[in-house]
Amino acid sequence: RRTYSLDVSPELVRNQAYIDGRWTSAAADFPVLDPASGALIARVADCGPAEAKQAVDAAYKAFHTWKQQTAKERSDLLRRWYELMVKHKDELARIVTFECGKPLPEALGEVGYSAGFLEWYSEEARRCYGDVVPSPFRDRKILLLKQPVGVASIITPWNFPSAMITRKVGAALAAGCTVVVKPAEDTPLSALALAQLADQAGIPAGVFNVVPCSREKTPAVGEVLCTDPLVAKVSFTGSTATGKILLRHAADTVKKVSMELGGNAPFIVFNSADVDKAVAGAMGSKFRNTGQTCVCSNRFLVQSGVHDAFVEKLAVAMDAQLRMGHGAEPGVTQGPLINARAAEKVVHQVEDAVSRGARVLRGGKRGEGSYMEPTLLTGVTTEMLCTKEETFGPLLPVIRSGPITALQESP
Ligand code: ADP
């Protein structure tokens, strides 16, 4: 197996937290690994509650001046940040590939998507319009003003390590809020590279803060970010289980919250479907980012009239189109999963399905490290874990469905 090295200018590979416009060390650090090889990419400051509090205080202090900036000033800064992302897109994409495993073309796609949020919000920054509403009284007018809420805590997942940050931060900064970002423990480097570019763009100290931390420190850091009275808003993308914890934390000080949590998306193929189109759709929706996106289809319900043709063509498409390997290798479409735990979860679902009578048509086994073979299962029933739990991996379970009796029998 070939080895690949990150090969990005050191200025973009930061290993300290970014708090109040300064690169800041913590008492300890934690390793960031290439999930494809297990190789160490960097050791990054392992922030605890103290650093989280420091970042919240800095963001609160900066809020008082950031909210006073004109719309044009905020817009110009976001635009400059966007332009720097575009200038460094290839390096940012390599960082995404090396820390989260996705193939380079997908990583480049993510960086374009990610930069696009800064571009769009730099334009929207100028359009925080209010409204004048007719009043029930002759001598009064109702004015609606949009005002920034304050400090936003932003907790993001590893599957889009760049885009999930700019999507939230672009909006917050455009509105005049300041932010503290806690990136996922597997992928802090994309967040820190964004901080480097924010710094270069001239985003003022304290407006954008990044506090990376290990899995061990995450609960304590998360608690500070979601309970501190100086925080006004929590925005989270991640698992439903974690979302529930954060909602509980945020309840005592009644913060504003936005939660984007897990799913169990069905992919339904009716007898009337164009099977080739259905197969193309299934390939795209199941195997992007090796099955690790929140909109990946999780269970496939295929009516019996097209079941066999669908399964057969799907297996052919999987053989022809999917290639597993390091994301930096040309032609690879299936990188590793984010870590060994993620691969174990998929294997567990496969074993559960097989023990209940499912058939493995393709794949089914773990590869080296955190690789998992693209897997096609048939004979799947709704009793099996893979139809009940979000898989977040390259497992495609097909449930053969009969006629839609309920609909047919309804009067
Ligand atoms: P996944 O299982 O996909 O990794 P998580 O919900 O665990 O999803 O991760 C999404 C984000 O939530 C990551 O940044 C992770 O570090 C963070 N996170 C996980 N547990 C907590 C917690 N108790 N408090 C705050 N953040 C958390």
Side-chain angles (χ1 to χ4, degrees):
R1 206 179 265 286
R2 263 196 68 180
T3 57
Y4 294 88
S5 61
L6 178 58
D7 208 14
V8 166
S9 66
E11 133 183 298
L12 276 180
V13 187
R14 311 299 310 209
N15 57 11
Q16 288 170 299
Y18 184 71
I19 301 173
D20 205 8
R22 281 188 295 271
W23 294 104
T24 310
S25 300
D29 53 22
F30 70 102
V32 182
L33 306 177
D34 176 349
S37 61
L40 180 74
I41 309 173
R43 295 194 67 89
V44 168
D46 193 2
C47 294
E51 288 81 13
K53 175 63 180 153
Q54 207 185 324
V56 168
D57 289 346
Y60 189 70
K61 190 177 77 195
F63 174 59
H64 297 295
T65 45
W66 182 245
K67 72 174 178 195
Q68 305 287 3
Q69 298 241 23
T70 65
K72 174 174 163 44
E73 286 165 336
R74 287 199 293 263
S75 165
D76 288 350
L77 287 167
L78 284 170
R79 177 85 201 180
R80 218 172 297 153
W81 195 7
Y82 155 71
E83 283 164 357
L84 285 169
M85 282 193 76
V86 172
K87 181 172 167 204
H88 293 282
K89 65 180 190 322
D90 294 312
E91 290 180 295
L92 295 173
R94 288 191 76 80
I95 294 174
V96 168
T97 288
F98 274 77
E99 66 178 349
C100 103
K102 73 178 62 170
L104 214 38
E106 280 191 40
L108 254 177
E110 176 182 345
V111 171
Y113 171 59
S114 177
F117 288 116
L118 297 184
E119 180 190 34
W120 197 76
Y121 284 115
S122 79
E123 291 156 3
E124 288 303 295
R126 294 165 175 266
R127 291 190 260 279
C128 284
Y129 301 140
D131 226 335
V132 183
V133 178
S135 149
F137 305 103
R138 282 192 196 91
D139 58 346
R140 288 176 213 177
K141 281 197 174 91
I142 297 173
L143 302 179
L144 297 182
L145 305 177
K146 289 192 181 154
Q147 292 185 308
V149 293
V151 176
S153 288
I154 286 175
I155 301 180
T156 52
W158 46 264
N159 62 338
F160 289 88
S162 179
M164 291 305 102
I165 294 176
T166 53
R167 187 169 65 142
K168 298 173 190 290
V169 170
L173 266 52
C177 296
T178 56
V179 301
V180 178
V181 175
K182 192 212 79 63
E185 57 272 18
D186 293 298
T187 58
L189 297 174
S190 293
L192 296 171
L194 283 174
Q196 167 63 24
L197 298 180
D199 194 88
Q200 231 172 295
I203 305 277
V207 170
F208 177 71
N209 304 276
V210 181
V211 286
C213 69
S214 63
R215 200 172 154 75
E216 290 67 38
K217 295 257 174 73
T218 289
V221 166
E223 189 172 341
V224 169
L225 295 184
C226 298
T227 59
D228 194 288
L230 299 185
V231 171
K233 162 92 195 182
V234 176
S235 178
F236 172 73
T237 298
S239 64
T240 306
T242 301
K244 288 179 185 172
I245 296 173
L246 303 188
L247 280 169
R248 276 185 215 113
H249 283 327
D252 279 343
T253 42
V254 197
K255 299 197 192 309
K256 296 173 192 305
V257 289
S258 299
M259 296 278 142
E260 185 191 27
L261 308 177
N264 185 8
F267 186 103
I268 304 171
V269 188
F270 292 103
N271 284 339
S272 58
D274 174 329
V275 174
D276 291 321
K277 281 192 181 154
V279 166
M283 290 296 292
S285 101
K286 180 73 251 185
F287 294 109
R288 188 162 65 102
N289 201 14
T290 321
Q292 303 170 106
T293 86
C294 58
V295 293
C296 278
S297 302
N298 208 54
R299 54 210 160 106
F300 291 70
L301 296 108
V302 184
Q303 261 191 310
S304 48
V306 289
H307 176 277
D308 294 355
F310 176 81
V311 165
E312 207 173 289
K313 289 186 172 198
L314 190 62
V316 170
M318 286 174 66
D319 292 343
Q321 294 170 30
L322 301 181
R323 213 180 118 223
M324 210 163 75
H326 195 290
E329 189 173 318
V332 161
T333 63
Q334 299 289 286
L337 298 191
I338 187 66
N339 52 39
R341 261 181 304 123
E344 273 156 28
K345 181 177 182 189
V346 184
V347 168
H348 179 64
Q349 288 192 355
V350 172
E351 286 170 356
D352 168 77
V354 169
S355 76
R356 294 169 196 265
R359 268 186 66 208
V360 180
L361 247 67
R362 288 292 182 280
K365 292 190 294 293
R366 258 183 86 166
E368 262 173 60
S370 58
Y371 282 101
M372 176 72 207
E373 293 177 345
T375 300
L376 175 58
L377 296 182
T378 55
V380 171
T381 66
T382 53
E383 305 307 306
M384 299 174 185
L385 280 181
C386 59
T387 66
K388 294 198 263 194
E389 285 179 349
E390 190 174 25
T391 304
F392 240 63
L395 167 59
L396 198 159
V398 179
I399 302 170
R400 180 194 283 271
S401 307
I404 312 168
T405 4
L407 279 181
Q408 284 171 344
E409 284 173 3
S410 65

